[in-house]
Amino acid sequence: KLNWPSVFNAAQRLQYFVDRAKRGTVCRWWEVDFAKPKYAVMLNATWPPERDVIFVFTTTQGEFYTSKRFEADIIRIPPRKYSFLPDPDETILNFRQFYQRECRTVCGHRDFTIEGDLLDDDLRDIDSVLRHSDRIAPAHRELILSRDGSP
């Protein structure tokens, strides 16, 4: 876990995030919309982002994603692959719903942490889903895929 000292102010946390994070970084913070802490995977192709970060939240509620209709839009990460993800559950990245937030809004919170980075094989799987998805809004596509379709 890559937590920073609580003595960092919001500007220092933002700078640390911009300097340390990258595409595939997993972060955690209290998410008001869900009323609980959430893990998120950063997706911006260009780092640091100009203003906003694009990300997907993770879920461990795999029973919801058993239908074949979801398979083209999700990535399944096996239990215990990453020490920083919830254990012992399978982690699912759902690319049917993207989130976009201003960097300072996300990482300015005291409870925001950088948990770790996904491995190259998971990033390749993410890239494949993103390239073939018909669910990505054009505005998000510009931020998470380069013009040639690669991250």
Side-chain angles (χ1 to χ4, degrees), residues 33-96:
D33 293 344
F34 294 91
K36 65 180 183 179
K38 292 292 286 179
Y39 291 85
V41 177
M42 301 297 134
L43 297 174
N44 296 65
T46 303
W47 206 269
E50 290 181 28
R51 179 174 174 264
D52 294 347
V53 291
I54 304 291
F55 57 92
V56 293
F57 284 120
T58 68
T59 184
T60 55
Q61 298 175 353
E63 65 278 358
F64 180 77
Y65 295 95
T66 57
S67 170
K68 289 186 182 201
R69 68 185 173 154
F70 291 114
E71 285 305 314
D73 299 315
I74 66 172
I75 300 288
R76 295 179 186 276
I77 298 176
R80 299 176 190 86
K81 181 172 183 178
Y82 296 100
S83 62
F84 54 82
L85 289 176
D87 205 38
D89 299 319
E90 173 182 63
T91 299
I92 293 175
L93 308 181
N94 176 7
F95 294 98
R96 288 176 163 234

Side-chain angles (χ1 to χ4, degrees), residues 9-55:
N9 63 34
Q12 290 168 320
R13 285 193 297 274
L14 175 62
Q15 190 60 52
Y16 179 78
F17 173 73
V18 167
D19 291 346
R20 163 56 185 86
K22 61 185 178 182
R23 188 167 197 272
T25 294
V26 178
C27 301
R28 184 174 183 262
W29 69 89
W30 180 266
E31 180 55 40
V32 175
D33 293 344
F34 294 91
K36 65 180 183 179
K38 292 292 286 179
Y39 291 85
V41 177
M42 301 297 134
L43 297 174
N44 296 65
T46 303
W47 206 269
E50 290 181 28
R51 179 174 174 264
D52 294 347
V53 291
I54 304 291
F55 57 92

Side-chain angles (χ1 to χ4, degrees), residues 72 75 122-133 145:
I75 300 288
D122 288 318
L123 288 174
R124 282 190 297 274
D125 289 346
I126 288 170
D127 295 342
S128 179
V129 168
L130 294 175
R131 270 193 294 280
H132 297 101
S133 177
L145 291 173

